[in-house]
Amino acid sequence: MALLEIDDLHVSFKTMDGVVRAVAGVSLSLDARRTLGIVGESGSGKSVTAQTIVGLTRFPNAKISGRIMFDGRDLVSMDADHLRDIRGARIAMIFQDPLSSLHPFFKVGHQIVEAIRVHEDVPRDVAKRRTIEALRSVGIPSPEERFDSFPHEMSGGMRQRVMIAMALALRPDILIADEPTTALDVTVQAQVLELIQALRDDFGTAVILITHDLGVVAQMCDDVAVMYAGRVLEQAPREVLFDGPQHPYTWGLLQSIPRLDAPRSDRLSPIAGSPPSLINVPRGCTFHPRCPYTPPPALETEPPLEEAEPGHLVRCHLSVEERRRLWQSLQSEHPALR
Amino acid sequence: MAVAAERAPGAEVDESLLVVRDLVKHFPIRKGVLQREVARVHAVDGIEFDVRRGETFGLVGESGCGKSTTARLITRLLAPTSGSIVYDGKDISSWTERRLRPLRRDVQMIFQDPYASLNPRRSIGTIIGEPLRLLGVSDRSARRVRVREVMERVGLNPEHYNRYPHEFSGGQRQRIGIARAIVLEPKLIVADEPVSALDVSIQAQVLNLLQELRDEMGLTLVFIAHDLSVVRHMCDRIAVMYLGKIVELATGDRLYAHPRHPYTGALMSAVPVPKSAAGRGRRRVVLAGDVPSPVSPPPACRFHTRCWKAQQICREEEPPLESKGEQDVAACHFPLSEGEVDALTRPSTE
């Protein structure tokens, strides 16, 4: 059985401008020791999905439905007290900007000690020892001294390591990393990604990695879900997704990025238009206004997320054969896609 | 130093629109009642490069390498500590604001965060037309005609003339920033991380727009970014910066085919590639540690603290930026060999 099973999750927020449908029917599952990548642009619902798992979207104006099964219990209907026990201890989360998740007035060591003691009844000195161990395991040099540092005394990469140390001090079953390297330089990103991989391998922590960067997904993830306008448009194991993607949106993303590993092209092929407003999501297939193919039914009805081949789910009206043919012709036009 | 090496053989000085020599910018750190200078941030520490007419010149590096300070120096939004900036044959490095004014027509800048660089209380028509007004185009209807023309050119609907910045998406706001930059038909545009804040699908649209405008208007472009794949896509020649220094300068294709400086090699190997087989058999160099503080940069070669090839000489003697074959220049005692580059950049063929 899967470690975490999201089933038909809907999250919407009532605002002055209308109802924002941030997540509209997402189903995903995560197995132990696996890394699931959720990739999408801003407004795709990838962060809201992740935050809802740990109950961070329970605002008065939010409406949440569906089920998130973890350890035999539904996190959506769970009361706040029980959820608090799970959040942090069994499902930990790290964010894009570590500076805003660390308290500026307290020493980083103290903050990790507190996090441990909230969930476990251990003496202060034991918690301190575990904190120093955690700091050491994420590669912070001289952790005994760094224990007494304030967040502002550290670099961005170092702060993200502290967040990872805090997340892992409690040996969670799941680590949710929401754009963990977006604010970091590429050489520091490489360090942090390597660290997350090592921790997954050593402790068997399952990881949900949320990112806009398809390169990071290709490097890190076992399974990938591509989200757009609150929906999953394509979902597959990594090799399948990168070797034979079947959704026009995924093709668009792959064509939009300049590539280091291919000869330079004159012009990029961007996706036309911009992502839809989540208040007025387009009728029919949500991607149709930007889709270069738009089969006629896409204007009226939303395609279901269907299995194109075992383990490969696609939400598109085009037939599997058409999609295979289109992808092949794209590959012959763009050497970078081969 | 390496002046001759970075210019194509037989190139005339006239080919260069911008010539930067020994450029230095230090920011003093002051403390105490008397505001005595206690230290300096060595933001830019003696860099040299030429930007040829009509080319796209790239500056790439991680945060704190001095690329944005360089952008603000060559547009003279900042005054250099020392060194010269020769624009179109004139040394503008010590010009006063008043004297610089006519130059502002020629040299424009595009910023990373289009929202922060647009006044929220002005309509976008006013924002785009502001440079025209400042340069003395007092006829309102003439300004309006020109602004509409430019809006259309950058892909904005001219009917949105009276709307405000908050009504636009990130990509559209960057188009507003670009419209403002081209409204005076400048010769040189300095774009500082113009697409880093944008989603991938929008980023590609903006990059294509910049290329089209460059080709149509014969612009010279200085393109600054931390994203190597974007810089490579856009630029003819690229300078790689590290802690206030240029460590390597080469044509885009050469730089990616054969980086000479270990830092360039490490940067390239750190970029994740969106392919399922990526990384297999590829030796990824993960640099240890962070970029040192520019307040007290390491002596001699500034990269030696993170370099896996560093030897004693790297700690004692600063390597000059010199030719390492063809027109490429790199500042390194032990430049990468062909074999090392192969291991870094290409997946093994087995």
Side-chain angles (χ1 to χ4, degrees):
Chain A
M1 213 193 83
L3 181 61
L4 185 85
E5 188 97 51
I6 302 175
D7 184 25
D8 198 26
L9 183 70
H10 290 257
V11 183
S12 57
F13 303 98
K14 213 179 256 168
T15 68
M16 302 268 274
D17 300 323
V19 178
V20 177
R21 295 181 204 284
V23 179
V26 166
S27 300
L28 292 168
S29 77
L30 174 71
D31 290 319
R33 295 180 176 273
R34 299 284 282 184
T35 300
L36 169 68
I38 305 181
V39 64
E41 301 182 279
S42 16
S44 62
K46 57 192 193 301
S47 289
V48 174
T49 303
Q51 288 166 4
T52 304
I53 298 172
V54 281
L56 295 181
T57 52
R58 292 186 172 186
F59 301 111
N61 66 338
K63 197 171 151 231
I64 304 171
S65 71
R67 291 199 311 171
I68 302 175
M69 298 306 291
F70 172 70
D71 206 10
R73 290 184 293 175
D74 178 17
L75 302 182
V76 171
S77 57
M78 186 179 281
D79 65 80
D81 288 338
H82 283 102
L83 190 61
R84 199 174 303 126
D85 289 338
I86 289 178
R87 180 171 60 226
R90 304 202 51 198
I91 305 178
M93 191 157 176
I94 56 174
F95 300 91
Q96 174 174 342
D97 178 10
L99 193 55
S100 59
S101 345
L102 287 165
H103 198 293
F105 286 1
F106 295 102
K107 295 170 179 170
V108 296
H110 172 82
Q111 298 190 43
I112 302 180
V113 166
E114 280 307 298
I116 296 175
R117 281 165 53 89
V118 162
H119 291 288
E120 288 178 35
D121 187 19
V122 291
R124 202 164 274 279
D125 58 322
V126 174
K128 178 168 181 176
R129 225 178 308 128
R130 273 175 58 183
T131 299
I132 289 172
E133 224 22 74
L135 290 174
R136 195 190 316 279
S137 71
V138 296
I140 289 192
S142 42
E144 292 84 0
E145 286 159 40
R146 279 303 182 180
F147 185 91
D148 290 320
S149 295
F150 289 98
H152 75 267
E153 297 172 311
M154 300 180 138
S155 67
M158 202 85 110
R159 285 183 209 127
Q160 196 58 286
R161 282 165 192 274
V162 168
M163 289 311 297
I164 296 172
M166 186 185 300
L168 295 168
L170 292 149
R171 296 281 160 85
D173 301 292
I174 300 172
L175 173 69
I176 300 175
D178 189 356
E179 301 268 10
T181 58
T182 307
L184 304 177
D185 279 319
V186 56
T187 59
V188 181
Q189 162 170 296
Q191 297 168 359
V192 170
L193 293 180
E194 198 154 85
L195 174 67
I196 293 176
Q197 253 166 342
L199 293 167
R200 180 196 59 188
D201 296 345
D202 294 350
F203 301 139
T205 313
V207 179
I208 298 179
L209 183 74
I210 292 151
T211 178
H212 67 281
D213 188 330
L214 285 164
V216 170
V217 168
Q219 185 187 328
M220 296 285 292
C221 301
D222 302 308
D223 303 288
V224 189
V226 180
M227 283 190 70
Y228 184 81
R231 292 149 172 87
V232 174
L233 295 191
E234 180 162 16
Q235 190 184 338
R238 174 189 50 191
E239 284 80 11
V240 176
L241 189 93
F242 285 98
D243 290 342
Q246 290 214 4
H247 199 286
Y249 178 61
T250 315
W251 302 338
L253 286 179
L254 285 166
Q255 288 179 83
S256 296
I257 35 182
R259 300 281 285 259
L260 271 188
D261 58 328
R264 199 172 139 186
S265 58
D266 279 351
R267 290 281 191 272
L268 298 167
S269 319
I271 305 174
S274 45
S277 147
L278 296 174
I279 296 172
N280 286 309
V281 180
R283 221 179 124 93
C285 171
T286 49
F287 185 60
H288 89 255
R290 305 178 74 191
C291 182
Y293 311 107
T294 322
L299 301 176
E300 291 301 327
T301 49
E302 183 169 9
L305 189 64
E306 276 179 330
E307 197 157 64
E309 55 196 326
H312 189 173
L313 303 174
V314 186
R315 193 187 285 280
C316 182
H317 281 301
L318 295 170
S319 72
V320 178
E321 292 70 35
E322 278 173 297
R323 295 195 302 248
R324 286 220 176 93
R325 194 172 45 74
L326 287 167
W327 170 245
Q328 273 166 10
S329 72
L330 281 174
Q331 278 185 309
S332 59
E333 280 168 48
H334 303 273
L337 299 178
R338 271 170 238 158
Chain B
M1 269 160 71
V3 179
E6 71 190 43
R7 202 174 290 143
E12 295 299 317
V13 183
D14 274 346
E15 258 191 41
S16 301
L17 183 62
L18 187 73
V19 178
V20 172
R21 290 290 171 269
D22 273 328
L23 189 64
V24 174
K25 179 67 185 177
H26 291 172
F27 294 99
I29 301 172
R30 296 180 197 281
K31 270 205 175 132
V33 204
L34 297 174
Q35 291 291 291
R36 245 193 283 264
E37 186 183 319
V38 291
R40 304 176 137 218
V41 177
H42 299 70
V44 171
D45 223 358
I47 60 171
E48 307 203 336
F49 58 89
D50 295 3
V51 179
R52 298 176 195 146
R53 282 173 210 277
E55 84 168 335
T56 301
F57 184 84
L59 281 173
V60 66
E62 298 182 282
S63 35
C65 72
K67 55 191 193 301
S68 291
T69 305
T70 306
R72 284 166 170 73
L73 288 170
I74 58 185
T75 48
R76 276 306 318 277
L77 297 177
L78 282 175
T81 307
S82 66
S84 70
I85 304 162
V86 178
Y87 172 78
D88 211 4
K90 296 166 294 250
D91 185 348
I92 59 166
S93 52
S94 55
W95 282 16
T96 57
E97 199 51 50
R98 180 186 288 271
R99 208 168 158 205
L100 282 167
R101 183 145 303 166
L103 189 83
R104 300 281 180 226
R105 172 190 280 270
D106 273 12
V107 183
Q108 288 287 326
M109 199 158 166
I110 300 169
F111 299 92
Q112 168 174 1
D113 184 351
Y115 203 44
S117 60
L118 302 175
N119 185 338
R121 302 184 58 170
R122 298 229 186 275
S123 73
I124 66 155
T126 314
I127 291 173
I128 298 170
E130 189 76 356
L132 290 169
R133 198 181 60 79
L134 287 173
L135 276 174
V137 182
S138 50
D139 179 355
R140 285 186 103 178
S141 61
R143 286 207 304 258
R144 186 174 264 269
V145 169
R146 172 69 184 143
V147 168
R148 283 171 172 270
E149 195 181 290
V150 172
M151 285 176 71
E152 185 128 36
R153 180 60 203 91
V154 300
L156 292 165
N157 184 347
E159 284 165 26
H160 296 166
Y161 188 94
N162 289 318
R163 294 201 181 174
Y164 290 85
H166 74 265
E167 298 176 72
F168 294 87
S169 68
Q172 285 174 316
R173 283 181 202 144
Q174 197 53 289
R175 289 177 197 269
I176 298 170
I178 292 171
R180 179 176 56 183
I182 63 166
V183 73
L184 295 174
E185 302 195 334
K187 290 187 187 142
L188 174 69
I189 288 187
V190 178
D192 187 5
E193 300 271 13
V195 297
S196 342
L198 306 176
D199 273 320
V200 261
S201 70
I202 308 301
Q203 174 177 312
Q205 297 173 1
V206 171
L207 290 177
N208 281 358
L209 173 64
L210 281 172
Q211 284 178 319
E212 286 162 25
L213 292 172
R214 177 189 66 193
D215 297 349
E216 276 174 33
M217 302 173 63
L219 285 169
T220 305
L221 199 60
V222 174
F223 189 92
I224 296 168
H226 68 281
D227 185 328
L228 275 88
S229 23
V230 170
V231 173
R232 185 238 194 169
H233 176 72
M234 291 294 288
C235 302
D236 303 310
R237 289 188 311 141
I238 299 168
V240 182
M241 289 188 72
Y242 187 76
L243 272 178
K245 298 268 188 192
I246 290 178
V247 295
E248 182 159 8
L249 198 160
T251 65
D253 291 338
R254 293 277 314 150
L255 188 75
Y256 287 94
H258 189 169
R260 307 280 169 164
H261 199 284
Y263 178 62
T264 316
L267 268 184
M268 283 172 52
S269 86
V271 176
V273 174
K275 262 191 183 157
S276 67
R280 268 178 222 150
R282 187 158 160 254
R283 185 179 159 236
R284 198 183 298 279
V285 189
V286 176
L287 292 178
D290 289 313
V291 181
S293 158
V295 176
S296 48
C301 174
R302 293 190 169 182
F303 186 57
H304 82 249
T305 52
R306 300 175 79 197
C307 184
W308 70 99
K309 295 188 76 180
Q311 313 252 342
Q312 196 53 34
I313 186 176
C314 305
R315 291 171 206 113
E316 286 163 359
E317 209 175 292
E318 183 173 351
L321 192 62
E322 61 186 10
S323 174
K324 306 285 178 199
E326 303 201 17
Q327 296 167 39
D328 320 341
V329 290
C332 183
H333 292 299
F334 305 102
L336 297 174
S337 68
E338 297 274 355
E340 285 172 308
V341 173
D342 274 355
L344 284 179
T345 51
R346 287 174 203 110
S348 67
T349 42
E350 291 131 44

